[in-house]
C-alpha cells in the first residue's frame, strides 16, 4: 500500500451485521433511543459542568466542586474544590432508604456455599475493617497492598482503605511472590491484607504462603492482616509474631476510627493498579478520587442500564481494573446487587456459570471474550442445561471479540433476546470509553461502537490528523475525561512518554482501530502487534476473526515472523474445537478460508495447531510471546504475567 504514513494500517474485513436494541428493552431503558444518546453525548461535551453535576448528584459530596476541569497536558484535575469519601457513596448513602437491607454482594464459593451481605452489613464490615486498619497504623496517604482471592472481604478491604484516605493496590491473587513483591516495593505499601488460601478449580491457592515470601523481601511492610477464609484445618498457616494480625480478631476489637469516613480532596489518590503486562513491564496506574468515582458510577448506570431489581454479575477478578470499576465502585455506588464468584468457570464442569445465573437470577452478565471462546469450544449443551431466562443484558470486555463469538453469545447465552454491549476501555481509562448503549444504539458484532459521555476518540495518523472512514490508524482520546489515569506511580516521565508523546496533543491508547461510515469503532489490535503482510500493515484482530469464523476454530492468534524474502511472514496459532483434527485437510481449509475472507495476500505462511494459547492472567492472548515462539527465539521480557508457563513450553516443544 503506497502511503506517506508508514504506520498506516490496512483494513479489509467488512462487517455488515447489525443488531437493533430489542423493542422491549428500549422501551424501559434509561437511554431509549439514538436521539436521546446523541443529545446526552452532545451535552456532555458542550456543557460538561451541567452534565457532570446532574449525573453525579446521587453521590455523596462533603463539599461541592468549584471547578470542573483544570487541564494542562498531560495533567488533569477534575472537580477541584470538592471533598468526599468514596466509601460514603458506596455504603453510607444506601443506609437511609430501601436499599439498606438489599443484597449488596451475593457471594458464591467454589464449593457452592452462598453468603449475602446487605448494604447495612457491608457498611458495618467496612467501618470495622477501617477501624482495624487504623489500629495497625494506616492513615490518609498510606499505601495498602491487598492480595486476596474473590471473597467479599476483598471489597470490604478496598472500601476500608478508601474510608481512611489510604491508597490501595490490589494485586491479583494468581501472581507469584516476585510479582507481588515488585508491586509492593513499587508502591511502598505499609500494610498487606491477605487471606490463608482460596479455592481455584478444586485446589487451594495458598495466598498467605506467597504473601509471606513477598513480605519478607518488602521492608516497607509493617503489618499483615490475615483473613482466615478456608480455615486452619485445610490451610494451616503460621502467623509472624508482631507482624501478622488475624482479620476476625482485629475487626472484633477495632477502635471506632472507621466510623467517620475521612473527607479527602477530589484528586486524592484512591488506588494504584498495575496493568496486566500483555506488552511489558507492569505500570502502576494511578487513579484519584472524584473523577474516578464519577466515571465508574455514571458508566455503570448507563452502559448496564441498571435498575433497582437487577442482579448484576461481573465475572472479572477484583485484581483487574474491571473488578475495581464494575464489581466494586461502579455497582456499589449505584446500590446494585452484585454476584461475586470465588472460583473457576469450569469447576466442577463447564456448566458452572450457567448454574450460577439460574440460581441467583442474574439479569446482567459482564464477561470476557476469552471465557466466551472457551464456552463455545465446549459446546452449546452446557448453557442449554440451565434456565438463563433471567438474563436481560450481556457485556464483554478485555479483547476484541470475534464477530462469531459475539453472535454465539447473543444467540446461545442471551437467547436472541438480550442486547450485547462490547465495552472498550483500559486500566488507564478507569471506566468504559466506548460501547453501544443497550437501549439506544444498534450493535455491530466486533465493533466497540460509539463514545461514552464525555469521551472524544479519534483514529489518526501519527501526526494527529484523522484518517478517513474505514481506514485504520492509531486510536487516541482527544480530550480529558474524569476517570483518566493521573500518572504512573512514581514515574511521571513514563506517564508522559508512554501516553502523551506518540500523537501530539492526544492520549495514545496503544491500540489500532478504524472508524466506519457510521462512526462505529473497530479495534484492529494493538499497534505493537500490527502485522506487515506483503507491504500491507494489518491488525491482528482481522486475521484472527477470519480464522474464528471457520467452524473448526475455537481460538486464533496471528503474529509476524522475520522473513528474508517478504520482510515478515504471517504465522497463525490455532486451537481447534474438539470435533476437528489438526491435520493437513484442516490446514488447507483454513488457508482457503482466510483467502476468501480477507484476500490472497493474507494467506498465512504457517498454521500451527496448539492445545492452548499463552494468555495473561486476565485471559488475554499474549502475542508478544508467540512472536518469539514463531521466530524460534527464547521469550524476551517479562513472563510473570503469563497464566500458564507450560503452554509456552509445549508450543516450543511442538516446533517442527
Ligand atoms: P498492558 O497494558 O500491561 O499490556 P493490558 O493492556 O492487557 O495490559 P488492560 O488495561 O486490562 O491491560 O487492557 C486494555 C486493553 O485491552 C485495550 O488497550 C485493548 O487492547 C484491549 N481491550 C479491552 N477491551 C476491549 C474491547 N472491548 N475491544 C477490543 N479491545 C479491547
Ligand atoms: Mg494496556
Amino acid at each position: 500500500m503506497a502511503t506517506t504514513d508508514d504506520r498506516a494500517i490496512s483494513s479489509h474485513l467488512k462487517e455488515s451485521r447489525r443488531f437493533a436494541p430489542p423493542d422491549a428493552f428500549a422501551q424501559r431503558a434509561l437511554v431509549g433511543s439514538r436521539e436521546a444518546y446523541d443529545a446526552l453525548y452532545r451535552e456532555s461535551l458542550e456543557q460538561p459542568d451541567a452534565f457532570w453535576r446532574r449525573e453525579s448528584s446521587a453521590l455523596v459530596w462533603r463539599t461541592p466542586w468549584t471547578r470542573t476541569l483544570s487541564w494542562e497536558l498531560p495533567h488533569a484535575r477534575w472537580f477541584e474544590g470538592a471533598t468526599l469519601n468514596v466509601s460514603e457513596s458506596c455504603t453510607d448513602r444506601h443506609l437511609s432508604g430501601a436499599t439498606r437491607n438489599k443484597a449488596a454482594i451475593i457471594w458464591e464459593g467454589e464449593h457452592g456455599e452462598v453468603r449475602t451481605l446487605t448494604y447495612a452489613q457491608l457498611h458495618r464490615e467496612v467501618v470495622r475493617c477501617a477501624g482495624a486498619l487504623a489500629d495497625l497504623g494506616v492513615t490518609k496517604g498510606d499505601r495498602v497492598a491487598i492480595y486476596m482471592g474473590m471473597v467479599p472481604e476483598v471489597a470490604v478491604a478496598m472500601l476500608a482503605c478508601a474510608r481512611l484516605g489510604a491508597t490501595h493496590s490490589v494485586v491479583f491473587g494468581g501472581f507469584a511472590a516476585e510479582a507481588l513483591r515488585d508491586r509492593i516495593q513499587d508502591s511502598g505499601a505499609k500494610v498487606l491484607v491477605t487471606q490463608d488460601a482460596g479455592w481455584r478449580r478444586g485446589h487451594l491457592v495458598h495466598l498467605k504462603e506467597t504473601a509471606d515470601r513477598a513480605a519478607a523481601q518488602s521492608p516497607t511492610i509493617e503489618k499483615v492482616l490475615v483473613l482466615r477464609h478456608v480455615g486452619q484445618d485445610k490451610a494451616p498457616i503460621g502467623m509472624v509474631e508482631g507482624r501478622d494480625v488475624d482479620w476476625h480478631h482485629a475487626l472484633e476489637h477495632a477502635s471506632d476510627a472507621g466510623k467517620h469516613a475521612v473527607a479527602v480532596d477530589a484528586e486524592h489518590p484512591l488506588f494504584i493498579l498495575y496493568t496486566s503486562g500483555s506488552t511489558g513491564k507492569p505500570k502502576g496506574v494511578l487513579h484519584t478520587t472524584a473523577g474516578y468515582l464519577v466515571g465508574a458510577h455514571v458508566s455503570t448506570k448507563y452502559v448496564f442500564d441498571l435498575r433497582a431489581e437487577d442482579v448484576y454479575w461481573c465475572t472479572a477478578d477484583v485484581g483487574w481494573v474491571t473488578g475495581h470499576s464494575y464489581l466494586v465502585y461502579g455497582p456499589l455506588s449505584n446500590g446494585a446487587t452484585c454476584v461475586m464468584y470465588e472460583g473457576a468457570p469450569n469447576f466442577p464442569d463447564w456448566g458452572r456459570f450457567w448454574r450460577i445465573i439460574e440460581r441467583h437470577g442474574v439479569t446482567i452478565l459482564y464477561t470476557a471474550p476469552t471465557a466466551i471462546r472457551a464456552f463455545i469450544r465446549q459446546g452449546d449443551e452446557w448453557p442449554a442445561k440451565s434456565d438463563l431466562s433471567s438474563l436481560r443484558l450481556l457485556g464483554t470486555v478485555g479483547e476484541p471479540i470475534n464477530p462469531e463469538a459475539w453472535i454465539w453469545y447473543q444467540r446461545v447465552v442471551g437467547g436472541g433476546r438480550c442486547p450485547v454491549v462490547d465495552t472498550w476501555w483500559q486500566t488507564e481509562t478507569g471506566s468504559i470509553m466506548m460501547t453501544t448503549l443497550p437501549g439506544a444504539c444498534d450493535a455491530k458484532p466486533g465493533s466497540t461502537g460509539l463514545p461514552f459521555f464525555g469521551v472524544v476518540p479519534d483514529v489518526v495518523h501519527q501526526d494527529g490528523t484523522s484518517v478517513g472512514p474505514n481506514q485504520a490508524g492509531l486510536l487516541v482520546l482527544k480530550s480529558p475525561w474524569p476517570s483518566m489515569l493521573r500518572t504512573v506511580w512514581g514515574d511521571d516521565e513514563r506517564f508522559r512518554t508512554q501516553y502523551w508523546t506518540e500523537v501530539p496533543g492526544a492520549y495514545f491508547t496503544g491500540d489500532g482501530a478504524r472508524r466506519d461510515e457510521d462512526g462505529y469503532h473497530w479495534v484492529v489490535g494493538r499497534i505493537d502487534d500490527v502485522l506487515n503482510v506483503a507491504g500491507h500493515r494489518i491488525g491482528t484482530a482481522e486475521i484472527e476473526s477470519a480464522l474464528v469464523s471457520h467452524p473448526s476454530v475455537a481460538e486464533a492468534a496471528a503474529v509476524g515472523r522475520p522473513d528474508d524474502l517478504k520482510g515478515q511472514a504471517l504465522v497463525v496459532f490455532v486451537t481447534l474445537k474438539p470435533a476437528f483434527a489438526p491435520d493437513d485437510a484442516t490446514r488447507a481449509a483454513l488457508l482457503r478460508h482466510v483467502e476468501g475472507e480477507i484476500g490472497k495476500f493474507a494467506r498465512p505462511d504457517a498454521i500451527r495447531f496448539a492445545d492452548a494459547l499463552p494468555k495473561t492472567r486476565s485471559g488475554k492472548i499474549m502475542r508478544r510471546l508467540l512472536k518469539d515462539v514463531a521466530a524460534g527465539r527464547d521469550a524476551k521480557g517479562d513472563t510473570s504475567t503469563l497464566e500458564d508457563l507450560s503452554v509456552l513450553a509445549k508450543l516450543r516443544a511442538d516446533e517442527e
Side-chain angles (χ1 to χ4, degrees):
M1 190 170 66
T3 168
T4 51
D5 185 351
D6 62 357
R7 300 205 64 173
I9 309 161
S10 319
S11 179
H12 304 273
L13 271 186
K14 287 261 157 61
E15 273 292 336
S16 53
R17 288 172 283 194
R18 269 184 109 101
F19 289 75
D23 284 343
F25 191 99
Q27 272 156 23
R28 289 192 62 193
L30 289 171
V31 184
S33 68
R34 176 66 197 252
E35 294 67 40
Y37 158 77
D38 287 339
L40 279 166
Y41 179 64
R42 220 174 310 118
E43 188 202 7
S44 74
L45 299 188
E46 288 167 8
Q47 293 158 286
D49 187 60
F51 179 86
W52 294 115
R53 264 187 215 281
R54 184 186 66 240
E55 295 300 333
S56 66
S57 60
L59 299 170
V60 181
W61 302 92
R62 293 277 189 93
T63 48
W65 72 78
T66 45
R67 196 184 159 99
T68 304
L69 170 68
S70 308
W71 175 229
E72 213 174 297
L73 187 143
H75 294 119
R77 289 196 304 274
W78 280 89
F79 310 132
E80 263 178 308
T83 60
L84 70 160
N85 187 289
V86 166
S87 78
E88 291 185 321
S89 285
C90 294
T91 62
D92 304 62
R93 91 170 181 94
H94 304 304
L95 299 184
S96 51
T99 314
R100 180 182 178 89
N101 298 315
K102 175 182 175 178
I105 297 175
I106 300 173
W107 175 82
E108 182 169 318
E110 203 181 63
H111 293 289
E113 67 278 35
V114 171
R115 263 169 65 199
T116 300
L117 282 180
T118 64
Y119 272 94
Q121 290 166 332
L122 176 67
H123 174 258
R124 175 170 179 268
E125 292 302 294
V126 170
V127 166
R128 295 197 318 147
C129 183
L133 288 171
D135 299 343
L136 296 181
V138 175
T139 57
K140 183 175 158 186
D142 286 341
R143 272 83 59 213
V144 174
I146 301 177
Y147 180 68
M148 300 176 84
M150 289 286 278
V151 290
E153 286 84 357
V154 73
V156 170
M158 290 162 77
L159 290 166
C161 289
R163 199 163 184 87
L164 298 174
T167 303
H168 62 68
S169 164
V170 179
V171 179
F172 172 59
F175 275 126
E178 297 69 37
L180 173 58
R181 175 202 61 200
D182 292 349
R183 287 159 174 76
I184 291 175
Q185 289 186 352
D186 189 77
S187 67
K190 180 173 178 180
V191 168
L192 171 62
V193 185
T194 190
Q195 68 189 63
D196 49 3
W199 291 103
R200 182 85 190 166
R201 212 163 277 132
H203 298 290
L204 282 169
V205 180
H206 294 278
L207 294 156
K208 172 68 162 70
E209 260 175 44
T210 309
D212 280 342
R213 266 183 284 134
Q217 297 174 52
S218 305
T220 56
I221 293 292
E222 294 169 13
K223 298 282 178 189
V224 180
L225 183 62
V226 187
L227 172 75
R228 290 184 193 268
H229 170 63
V230 303
Q232 191 70 9
D233 51 329
K234 293 203 184 63
I237 52 168
M239 297 288 272
V240 175
E241 184 77 35
R243 187 197 72 180
D244 295 357
V245 177
D246 178 83
W247 171 289
H248 291 293
H249 186 268
L251 265 64
E252 209 50 54
H253 298 93
S255 67
D256 61 5
K259 212 162 167 188
H260 300 289
V262 177
V264 299
D265 289 337
E267 286 297 338
H268 185 71
L270 177 64
F271 68 84
I272 302 164
L273 181 59
Y274 292 84
T275 57
S276 66
S278 334
T279 48
K281 179 178 177 278
K283 307 174 274 283
V285 168
L286 179 71
H287 284 289
T288 57
T289 299
Y292 173 79
L293 177 64
V294 168
H297 176 78
V298 175
S299 58
T300 305
K301 173 175 160 186
Y302 286 110
V303 175
F304 300 107
D305 188 52
L306 262 191
R307 290 211 289 259
E309 67 274 24
D310 274 318
V311 178
Y312 164 93
W313 184 22
C314 166
T315 69
D317 193 281
V318 77
W320 313 125
V321 73
T322 307
H324 283 58
S325 302
Y326 298 109
L327 184 62
V328 178
Y329 292 111
L332 296 179
S333 68
N334 277 287
T337 294
C338 308
V339 170
M340 184 192 253
Y341 168 54
E342 176 182 28
N346 58 347
F347 185 84
D349 59 42
W350 286 96
R352 186 58 182 269
F353 265 34
W354 320 123
R355 290 196 296 274
I356 291 175
I357 290 169
E358 176 174 332
R359 183 178 192 187
H360 303 292
V362 171
T363 59
I364 301 170
L365 175 66
Y366 189 32
T367 193
T370 183
I372 296 167
R373 292 188 304 254
F375 289 129
I376 295 173
R377 199 176 180 194
Q378 300 306 317
D380 297 8
E381 60 271 26
W382 289 106
K385 287 182 198 179
S386 293
D387 177 3
L388 305 181
S389 61
S390 59
L391 287 171
R392 66 180 195 91
L393 176 62
L394 304 174
T396 161
V397 62
E399 288 179 291
I401 183 164
N402 314 114
E404 295 309 315
W406 193 105
I407 285 169
W408 182 91
Y409 192 34
Q410 194 266 357
R411 178 175 59 80
V412 177
V413 179
R417 170 188 83 244
C418 307
V420 176
V421 289
D422 179 358
T423 61
W424 179 89
W425 62 294
Q426 310 178 298
T427 306
E428 294 88 340
T429 70
S431 62
I432 293 167
M433 296 286 102
M434 288 196 274
T435 193
T436 45
L437 290 188
C441 305
D442 292 1
K444 302 187 189 187
S447 165
T448 64
L450 302 165
F452 187 66
F453 306 138
V455 177
V456 186
D458 199 0
V459 181
V460 299
H461 299 286
Q462 198 151 22
D463 65 5
T465 56
S466 304
V467 304
N470 279 316
Q471 237 192 306
L474 312 177
L475 178 62
V476 297
L477 301 173
K478 296 226 291 202
S479 61
W481 63 99
S483 65
M484 66 198 287
L485 83 164
R486 298 305 197 258
T487 189
V488 171
W489 182 257
D491 198 349
D492 201 54
E493 194 45 42
R494 189 162 180 214
F495 170 62
R496 272 175 199 279
T497 51
Q498 185 98 29
Y499 304 107
W500 298 96
T501 53
E502 184 82 9
V503 177
Y507 168 85
F508 174 49
T509 64
D511 287 348
R514 69 182 164 91
R515 185 153 54 190
D516 70 16
E517 56 286 353
D518 300 322
Y520 279 55
H521 296 80
W522 301 74
V523 173
V524 301
R526 300 188 189 242
I527 286 293
D528 293 343
D529 295 335
V530 162
L531 304 158
N532 196 331
V533 183
H536 299 262
R537 286 171 53 84
I538 181 167
T540 50
E542 295 192 327
I543 292 182
E544 292 163 6
S545 288
L547 284 158
V548 171
S549 71
H550 190 271
S552 68
V553 176
E555 202 155 45
V559 300
R561 178 181 70 198
D563 184 277
D564 288 344
L565 226 55
K566 302 169 72 172
Q568 207 172 39
L570 173 59
V571 180
V572 299
F573 293 81
V574 169
T575 58
L576 295 174
K577 291 183 189 158
F580 296 85
D583 56 18
D584 286 345
T586 307
R587 197 172 259 123
L590 292 180
L591 291 174
R592 274 198 310 278
H593 185 73
V594 175
E595 272 185 40
E597 290 288 306
I598 303 179
K600 257 202 156 52
F601 77 93
R603 181 186 160 94
D605 297 283
I607 295 183
R608 293 184 49 178
F609 295 112
D611 295 336
L613 300 177
K615 305 246 175 103
T616 64
R617 288 165 202 268
S618 58
K620 303 180 194 210
I621 296 170
M622 255 176 140
R623 293 177 194 79
R624 174 166 65 83
L625 299 180
L626 286 173
K627 270 185 229 174
D628 294 332
V629 173
R633 295 191 291 259
D634 278 343
K636 290 186 308 226
D638 188 8
T639 52
S640 66
T641 57
L642 182 66
E643 229 277 296
D644 181 359
L645 260 178
S646 70
V647 170
L648 201 61
K650 181 134 194 341
L651 282 169
R652 287 235 185 67
D654 287 349
E655 268 169 61
E656 296 101 341

